[in-house]
Amino acid sequence: MNTALFVAAAYLIGSISFAVIVSKLLGLADPRSYGSKNPGATNVLRSGSKKAAILTLLGDCLKGVVAVLLAKCLGPQYGVAENGIALVALAVFVGHLWPVFFRFKGGKGVATALGVLLAINGWLGLATLATWLIIAYAFRYSSLAALVAAVFAPFFYCLMFGTDGMLLAIVAMSALLIYRHAKNIGNLLAGKESRLGSKGSKKK
């Protein structure tokens, strides 16, 4: 029962869409109305506001950190085992993808996944972030960097900690992240994907 409560709380935390909230507070257009229509930091950047994009990135990352750290710190007191914490990690990510507060239309989960990985283990998160940075710098595609990092995250975890319930949760997150990037994969293959730093039209 307590595990279910922690999982539900994590899902609700994940359902907070910082892209929409930050944009509204700063008087910007709803990120679901322009560009890729994805409520995430990359699309918010297309509004022309770096401040909004950075705040969105930090907020989405932080909610992954908070949900998992709360479960790790408080969960054992209430009988939440390691597998329960793994479910919490997955739940906050799923909340970002399909937020109950925003008609289940969420982002692609890159920043939230990073927050989850950092909370699981700092080195795991940093290794995954380094992978993203290397690919992004080399090819200038945010989506490609996210896809490669998603593939490597379970590999990094397995090298560090072996196979367990948390590995399964990370594999599930990676699979969902790749699924959410299906359109980007098509654009990459067709040579139509926008590069980092390019200004996308708000009417796309």
Side-chain angles (χ1 to χ4, degrees), residues 105-136:
K105 295 179 180 179
K108 296 177 181 177
V110 177
T112 301
L114 174 60
V116 168
L117 295 176
L118 286 169
I120 291 171
N121 180 270
W123 290 113
L124 172 65
L126 289 174
T128 307
L129 175 59
T131 302
W132 188 96
L133 290 171
I134 290 168
I135 300 301

Side-chain angles (χ1 to χ4, degrees), residues 31-175:
R32 297 169 295 180
S33 68
Y34 62 82
S36 65
K37 295 182 171 55
N38 174 61
T42 300
N43 197 42
V44 170
L45 185 60
R46 294 190 175 103
S47 71
S49 174
K50 291 183 179 179
K51 177 181 178 181
I54 291 171
L55 289 174
T56 297
L57 179 66
L58 291 176
D60 285 344
C61 181
L62 185 61
K63 66 187 181 184
V65 172
V66 169
V68 175
L69 284 185
L70 283 176
K72 289 177 70 175
C73 294
L74 301 179
Q77 303 176 44
Y78 297 95
V80 179
E82 289 295 323
N83 286 343
I85 295 173
L87 288 175
V88 165
L90 181 58
V92 67
F93 180 75
V94 169
H96 178 81
L97 302 189
W98 294 286
V100 67
F101 304 131
F102 296 90
R103 300 181 180 180
F104 302 101
K105 295 179 180 179
K108 296 177 181 177
V110 177
T112 301
L114 174 60
V116 168
L117 295 176
L118 286 169
I120 291 171
N121 180 270
W123 290 113
L124 172 65
L126 289 174
T128 307
L129 175 59
T131 302
W132 188 96
L133 290 171
I134 290 168
I135 300 301
Y137 179 79
F139 298 98
R140 309 301 296 172
Y141 288 115
S142 174
S143 56
L144 178 61
L147 291 166
V148 174
V151 170
F152 272 86
F155 174 71
F156 290 144
Y157 184 89
C158 193
L159 280 181
M160 294 177 184
F161 308 106
T163 58
D164 56 17
M166 187 62 78
L167 175 62
L168 293 178
I170 294 173
V171 168
M173 284 195 299
S174 294

